[in-house]
PDB file of all heavy atoms in Angstrom:
ATOM      1  N   LEU A 153      -2.731 -22.807  21.340  1.00 86.00           N
ATOM      2  CA  LEU A 153      -3.136 -22.247  20.054  1.00 86.00           C
ATOM      3  C   LEU A 153      -3.782 -23.282  19.128  1.00 86.00           C
ATOM      4  O   LEU A 153      -4.396 -22.916  18.128  1.00 86.00           O
ATOM      5  CB  LEU A 153      -1.929 -21.615  19.348  1.00 86.00           C
ATOM      6  CG  LEU A 153      -1.282 -20.434  20.064  1.00 86.00           C
ATOM      7  CD1 LEU A 153      -0.045 -19.958  19.310  1.00 86.00           C
ATOM      8  CD2 LEU A 153      -2.270 -19.282  20.216  1.00 86.00           C
ATOM      9  N   GLY A 154      -3.635 -24.558  19.436  1.00 87.00           N
ATOM     10  CA  GLY A 154      -4.222 -25.590  18.580  1.00 87.00           C
ATOM     11  C   GLY A 154      -3.734 -25.524  17.158  1.00 87.00           C
ATOM     12  O   GLY A 154      -4.505 -25.668  16.205  1.00 87.00           O
ATOM     13  N   ILE A 155      -2.432 -25.291  16.967  1.00 91.00           N
ATOM     14  CA  ILE A 155      -1.886 -25.029  15.635  1.00 91.00           C
ATOM     15  C   ILE A 155      -1.943 -26.268  14.745  1.00 91.00           C
ATOM     16  O   ILE A 155      -1.620 -27.377  15.172  1.00 91.00           O
ATOM     17  CB  ILE A 155      -0.438 -24.525  15.746  1.00 91.00           C
ATOM     18  CG1 ILE A 155      -0.404 -23.132  16.382  1.00 91.00           C
ATOM     19  CG2 ILE A 155       0.239 -24.483  14.379  1.00 91.00           C
ATOM     20  CD1 ILE A 155       0.976 -22.593  16.638  1.00 91.00           C
ATOM     21  N   SER A 156      -2.373 -26.073  13.499  1.00 94.00           N
ATOM     22  CA  SER A 156      -2.288 -27.088  12.447  1.00 94.00           C
ATOM     23  C   SER A 156      -1.509 -26.486  11.287  1.00 94.00           C
ATOM     24  O   SER A 156      -1.481 -25.263  11.119  1.00 94.00           O
ATOM     25  CB  SER A 156      -3.676 -27.513  11.973  1.00 94.00           C
ATOM     26  OG  SER A 156      -4.436 -28.018  13.055  1.00 94.00           O
ATOM     27  N   ARG A 157      -0.896 -27.341  10.466  1.00 96.00           N
ATOM     28  CA  ARG A 157      -0.041 -26.832   9.394  1.00 96.00           C
ATOM     29  C   ARG A 157      -0.293 -27.576   8.083  1.00 96.00           C
ATOM     30  O   ARG A 157      -0.714 -28.728   8.079  1.00 96.00           O
ATOM     31  CB  ARG A 157       1.435 -26.971   9.768  1.00 96.00           C
ATOM     32  CG  ARG A 157       1.871 -26.129  10.968  1.00 96.00           C
ATOM     33  CD  ARG A 157       3.371 -26.234  11.186  1.00 96.00           C
ATOM     34  NE  ARG A 157       3.827 -25.369  12.278  1.00 96.00           N
ATOM     35  CZ  ARG A 157       3.903 -25.736  13.543  1.00 96.00           C
ATOM     36  NH1 ARG A 157       3.559 -26.967  13.886  1.00 96.00           N
ATOM     37  NH2 ARG A 157       4.328 -24.887  14.466  1.00 96.00           N
ATOM     38  N   LYS A 158       0.016 -26.893   6.997  1.00 97.00           N
ATOM     39  CA  LYS A 158       0.161 -27.510   5.683  1.00 97.00           C
ATOM     40  C   LYS A 158       1.567 -27.174   5.206  1.00 97.00           C
ATOM     41  O   LYS A 158       1.852 -26.018   4.877  1.00 97.00           O
ATOM     42  CB  LYS A 158      -0.884 -26.994   4.690  1.00 97.00           C
ATOM     43  CG  LYS A 158      -2.310 -27.403   5.022  1.00 97.00           C
ATOM     44  CD  LYS A 158      -3.271 -27.045   3.896  1.00 97.00           C
ATOM     45  CE  LYS A 158      -4.683 -27.512   4.222  1.00 97.00           C
ATOM     46  NZ  LYS A 158      -5.623 -27.336   3.090  1.00 97.00           N
ATOM     47  N   ASN A 159       2.449 -28.159   5.196  1.00 97.00           N
ATOM     48  CA  ASN A 159       3.830 -27.907   4.804  1.00 97.00           C
ATOM     49  C   ASN A 159       3.917 -27.807   3.288  1.00 97.00           C
ATOM     50  O   ASN A 159       3.543 -28.725   2.562  1.00 97.00           O
ATOM     51  CB  ASN A 159       4.745 -29.018   5.313  1.00 97.00           C
ATOM     52  CG  ASN A 159       6.210 -28.649   5.179  1.00 97.00           C
ATOM     53  OD1 ASN A 159       6.653 -27.645   5.731  1.00 97.00           O
ATOM     54  ND2 ASN A 159       6.967 -29.439   4.446  1.00 97.00           N
ATOM     55  N   LEU A 160       4.407 -26.684   2.796  1.00 98.00           N
ATOM     56  CA  LEU A 160       4.497 -26.443   1.362  1.00 98.00           C
ATOM     57  C   LEU A 160       5.888 -26.729   0.822  1.00 98.00           C
ATOM     58  O   LEU A 160       6.041 -27.212  -0.300  1.00 98.00           O
ATOM     59  CB  LEU A 160       4.101 -24.998   1.047  1.00 98.00           C
ATOM     60  CG  LEU A 160       2.716 -24.576   1.564  1.00 98.00           C
ATOM     61  CD1 LEU A 160       2.455 -23.114   1.250  1.00 98.00           C
ATOM     62  CD2 LEU A 160       1.632 -25.465   0.988  1.00 98.00           C
ATOM     63  N   ARG A 161       6.901 -26.431   1.604  1.00 97.00           N
ATOM     64  CA  ARG A 161       8.265 -26.645   1.132  1.00 97.00           C
ATOM     65  C   ARG A 161       9.219 -26.721   2.313  1.00 97.00           C
ATOM     66  O   ARG A 161       9.133 -25.928   3.236  1.00 97.00           O
ATOM     67  CB  ARG A 161       8.698 -25.514   0.196  1.00 97.00           C
ATOM     68  CG  ARG A 161      10.153 -25.593  -0.241  1.00 97.00           C
ATOM     69  CD  ARG A 161      10.508 -24.479  -1.215  1.00 97.00           C
ATOM     70  NE  ARG A 161      11.911 -24.551  -1.557  1.00 97.00           N
ATOM     71  CZ  ARG A 161      12.876 -23.842  -0.954  1.00 97.00           C
ATOM     72  NH1 ARG A 161      12.559 -22.971   0.004  1.00 97.00           N
ATOM     73  NH2 ARG A 161      14.134 -23.973  -1.310  1.00 97.00           N
ATOM     74  N   THR A 162      10.121 -27.706   2.273  1.00 96.00           N
ATOM     75  CA  THR A 162      11.253 -27.777   3.188  1.00 96.00           C
ATOM     76  C   THR A 162      12.494 -28.029   2.360  1.00 96.00           C
ATOM     77  O   THR A 162      12.562 -29.013   1.619  1.00 96.00           O
ATOM     78  CB  THR A 162      11.085 -28.909   4.230  1.00 96.00           C
ATOM     79  OG1 THR A 162       9.902 -28.673   4.994  1.00 96.00           O
ATOM     80  CG2 THR A 162      12.279 -28.953   5.172  1.00 96.00           C
ATOM     81  N   ASP A 163      13.462 -27.114   2.446  1.00 92.00           N
ATOM     82  CA  ASP A 163      14.688 -27.278   1.675  1.00 92.00           C
ATOM     83  C   ASP A 163      15.527 -28.383   2.299  1.00 92.00           C
ATOM     84  O   ASP A 163      15.857 -28.317   3.488  1.00 92.00           O
ATOM     85  CB  ASP A 163      15.473 -25.962   1.670  1.00 92.00           C
ATOM     86  CG  ASP A 163      16.632 -25.996   0.688  1.00 92.00           C
ATOM     87  OD1 ASP A 163      17.597 -26.743   0.936  1.00 92.00           O
ATOM     88  OD2 ASP A 163      16.571 -25.264  -0.312  1.00 92.00           O
ATOM     89  N   PRO A 164      15.867 -29.422   1.528  1.00 88.00           N
ATOM     90  CA  PRO A 164      16.595 -30.561   2.110  1.00 88.00           C
ATOM     91  C   PRO A 164      18.010 -30.220   2.557  1.00 88.00           C
ATOM     92  O   PRO A 164      18.583 -30.939   3.376  1.00 88.00           O
ATOM     93  CB  PRO A 164      16.615 -31.584   0.969  1.00 88.00           C
ATOM     94  CG  PRO A 164      16.469 -30.781  -0.278  1.00 88.00           C
ATOM     95  CD  PRO A 164      15.583 -29.632   0.099  1.00 88.00           C
ATOM     96  N   LEU A 165      18.579 -29.140   2.033  1.00 86.00           N
ATOM     97  CA  LEU A 165      19.952 -28.769   2.394  1.00 86.00           C
ATOM     98  C   LEU A 165      19.985 -27.764   3.540  1.00 86.00           C
ATOM     99  O   LEU A 165      20.774 -27.902   4.474  1.00 86.00           O
ATOM    100  CB  LEU A 165      20.683 -28.199   1.178  1.00 86.00           C
ATOM    101  CG  LEU A 165      20.854 -29.159  -0.009  1.00 86.00           C
ATOM    102  CD1 LEU A 165      21.557 -28.452  -1.154  1.00 86.00           C
ATOM    103  CD2 LEU A 165      21.616 -30.410   0.411  1.00 86.00           C
ATOM    104  N   THR A 166      19.131 -26.753   3.488  1.00 91.00           N
ATOM    105  CA  THR A 166      19.187 -25.684   4.487  1.00 91.00           C
ATOM    106  C   THR A 166      18.182 -25.853   5.619  1.00 91.00           C
ATOM    107  O   THR A 166      18.351 -25.260   6.692  1.00 91.00           O
ATOM    108  CB  THR A 166      18.934 -24.327   3.829  1.00 91.00           C
ATOM    109  OG1 THR A 166      17.576 -24.280   3.345  1.00 91.00           O
ATOM    110  CG2 THR A 166      19.898 -24.103   2.667  1.00 91.00           C
ATOM    111  N   GLY A 167      17.115 -26.602   5.377  1.00 94.00           N
ATOM    112  CA  GLY A 167      16.057 -26.718   6.368  1.00 94.00           C
ATOM    113  C   GLY A 167      15.060 -25.576   6.334  1.00 94.00           C
ATOM    114  O   GLY A 167      14.124 -25.540   7.144  1.00 94.00           O
ATOM    115  N   GLU A 168      15.224 -24.621   5.414  1.00 96.00           N
ATOM    116  CA  GLU A 168      14.254 -23.543   5.298  1.00 96.00           C
ATOM    117  C   GLU A 168      12.862 -24.110   4.997  1.00 96.00           C
ATOM    118  O   GLU A 168      12.731 -25.107   4.289  1.00 96.00           O
ATOM    119  CB  GLU A 168      14.667 -22.569   4.190  1.00 96.00           C
ATOM    120  CG  GLU A 168      15.947 -21.810   4.496  1.00 96.00           C
ATOM    121  CD  GLU A 168      16.311 -20.813   3.429  1.00 96.00           C
ATOM    122  OE1 GLU A 168      15.865 -20.997   2.271  1.00 96.00           O
ATOM    123  OE2 GLU A 168      17.034 -19.853   3.725  1.00 96.00           O
ATOM    124  N   ARG A 169      11.834 -23.466   5.540  1.00 97.00           N
ATOM    125  CA  ARG A 169      10.469 -23.997   5.399  1.00 97.00           C
ATOM    126  C   ARG A 169       9.496 -22.904   4.977  1.00 97.00           C
ATOM    127  O   ARG A 169       9.658 -21.731   5.343  1.00 97.00           O
ATOM    128  CB  ARG A 169       9.970 -24.567   6.725  1.00 97.00           C
ATOM    129  CG  ARG A 169      10.648 -25.813   7.225  1.00 97.00           C
ATOM    130  CD  ARG A 169      10.000 -26.277   8.518  1.00 97.00           C
ATOM    131  NE  ARG A 169       8.610 -26.646   8.316  1.00 97.00           N
ATOM    132  CZ  ARG A 169       7.718 -26.761   9.319  1.00 97.00           C
ATOM    133  NH1 ARG A 169       8.068 -26.485  10.551  1.00 97.00           N
ATOM    134  NH2 ARG A 169       6.466 -27.126   9.063  1.00 97.00           N
ATOM    135  N   THR A 170       8.482 -23.335   4.231  1.00 98.00           N
ATOM    136  CA  THR A 170       7.320 -22.509   3.939  1.00 98.00           C
ATOM    137  C   THR A 170       6.095 -23.350   4.248  1.00 98.00           C
ATOM    138  O   THR A 170       6.006 -24.506   3.830  1.00 98.00           O
ATOM    139  CB  THR A 170       7.285 -22.081   2.460  1.00 98.00           C
ATOM    140  OG1 THR A 170       8.469 -21.344   2.149  1.00 98.00           O
ATOM    141  CG2 THR A 170       6.067 -21.216   2.178  1.00 98.00           C
ATOM    142  N   PHE A 171       5.137 -22.789   4.984  1.00 98.00           N
ATOM    143  CA  PHE A 171       3.944 -23.566   5.329  1.00 98.00           C
ATOM    144  C   PHE A 171       2.784 -22.633   5.642  1.00 98.00           C
ATOM    145  O   PHE A 171       2.971 -21.439   5.913  1.00 98.00           O
ATOM    146  CB  PHE A 171       4.213 -24.490   6.518  1.00 98.00           C
ATOM    147  CG  PHE A 171       4.705 -23.800   7.766  1.00 98.00           C
ATOM    148  CD1 PHE A 171       3.824 -23.379   8.746  1.00 98.00           C
ATOM    149  CD2 PHE A 171       6.060 -23.581   7.969  1.00 98.00           C
ATOM    150  CE1 PHE A 171       4.267 -22.747   9.892  1.00 98.00           C
ATOM    151  CE2 PHE A 171       6.519 -22.954   9.108  1.00 98.00           C
ATOM    152  CZ  PHE A 171       5.628 -22.528  10.075  1.00 98.00           C
ATOM    153  N   LEU A 172       1.580 -23.187   5.570  1.00 98.00           N
ATOM    154  CA  LEU A 172       0.407 -22.505   6.094  1.00 98.00           C
ATOM    155  C   LEU A 172       0.251 -22.902   7.553  1.00 98.00           C
ATOM    156  O   LEU A 172       0.404 -24.072   7.907  1.00 98.00           O
ATOM    157  CB  LEU A 172      -0.858 -22.888   5.330  1.00 98.00           C
ATOM    158  CG  LEU A 172      -1.086 -22.298   3.941  1.00 98.00           C
ATOM    159  CD1 LEU A 172      -2.495 -22.651   3.467  1.00 98.00           C
ATOM    160  CD2 LEU A 172      -0.896 -20.802   3.909  1.00 98.00           C
ATOM    161  N   SER A 173      -0.087 -21.935   8.379  1.00 97.00           N
ATOM    162  CA  SER A 173      -0.317 -22.184   9.794  1.00 97.00           C
ATOM    163  C   SER A 173      -1.729 -21.757  10.147  1.00 97.00           C
ATOM    164  O   SER A 173      -2.140 -20.636   9.814  1.00 97.00           O
ATOM    165  CB  SER A 173       0.698 -21.410  10.640  1.00 97.00           C
ATOM    166  OG  SER A 173       0.407 -21.532  12.020  1.00 97.00           O
ATOM    167  N   MET A 174      -2.476 -22.647  10.800  1.00 96.00           N
ATOM    168  CA  MET A 174      -3.837 -22.331  11.233  1.00 96.00           C
ATOM    169  C   MET A 174      -3.893 -22.376  12.751  1.00 96.00           C
ATOM    170  O   MET A 174      -3.488 -23.350  13.374  1.00 96.00           O
ATOM    171  CB  MET A 174      -4.845 -23.319  10.649  1.00 96.00           C
ATOM    172  CG  MET A 174      -6.276 -23.076  11.125  1.00 96.00           C
ATOM    173  SD  MET A 174      -7.501 -24.153  10.335  1.00 96.00           S
ATOM    174  CE  MET A 174      -6.983 -25.767  10.934  1.00 96.00           C
ATOM    175  N   VAL A 175      -4.401 -21.301  13.345  1.00 96.00           N
ATOM    176  CA  VAL A 175      -4.602 -21.216  14.786  1.00 96.00           C
ATOM    177  C   VAL A 175      -6.100 -21.264  15.051  1.00 96.00           C
ATOM    178  O   VAL A 175      -6.877 -20.553  14.399  1.00 96.00           O
ATOM    179  CB  VAL A 175      -3.992 -19.928  15.365  1.00 96.00           C
ATOM    180  CG1 VAL A 175      -4.217 -19.861  16.873  1.00 96.00           C
ATOM    181  CG2 VAL A 175      -2.508 -19.853  15.041  1.00 96.00           C
ATOM    182  N   LEU A 176      -6.523 -22.102  16.001  1.00 95.00           N
ATOM    183  CA  LEU A 176      -7.943 -22.279  16.275  1.00 95.00           C
ATOM    184  C   LEU A 176      -8.556 -21.058  16.946  1.00 95.00           C
ATOM    185  O   LEU A 176      -7.874 -20.312  17.650  1.00 95.00           O
ATOM    186  CB  LEU A 176      -8.142 -23.502  17.182  1.00 95.00           C
ATOM    187  CG  LEU A 176      -7.820 -24.869  16.568  1.00 95.00           C
ATOM    188  CD1 LEU A 176      -8.028 -25.959  17.610  1.00 95.00           C
ATOM    189  CD2 LEU A 176      -8.688 -25.126  15.342  1.00 95.00           C
ATOM    190  N   PRO A 177      -9.864 -20.838  16.734  1.00 96.00           N
ATOM    191  CA  PRO A 177     -10.538 -19.746  17.440  1.00 96.00           C
ATOM    192  C   PRO A 177     -10.472 -19.922  18.951  1.00 96.00           C
ATOM    193  O   PRO A 177     -10.291 -21.025  19.463  1.00 96.00           O
ATOM    194  CB  PRO A 177     -11.985 -19.845  16.930  1.00 96.00           C
ATOM    195  CG  PRO A 177     -11.903 -20.581  15.640  1.00 96.00           C
ATOM    196  CD  PRO A 177     -10.766 -21.536  15.801  1.00 96.00           C
TER     197      PRO A 177
END
Side-chain angles (χ1 to χ4, degrees):
L153 297 176
I155 292 175
S156 302
R157 295 185 176 90
K158 293 189 178 187
N159 192 58
L160 305 178
R161 175 178 177 265
T162 300
D163 190 291
L165 298 178
T166 66
E168 294 183 336
R169 292 182 63 198
T170 301
F171 56 93
L172 285 188
S173 174
M174 177 175 65
V175 180
L176 292 178

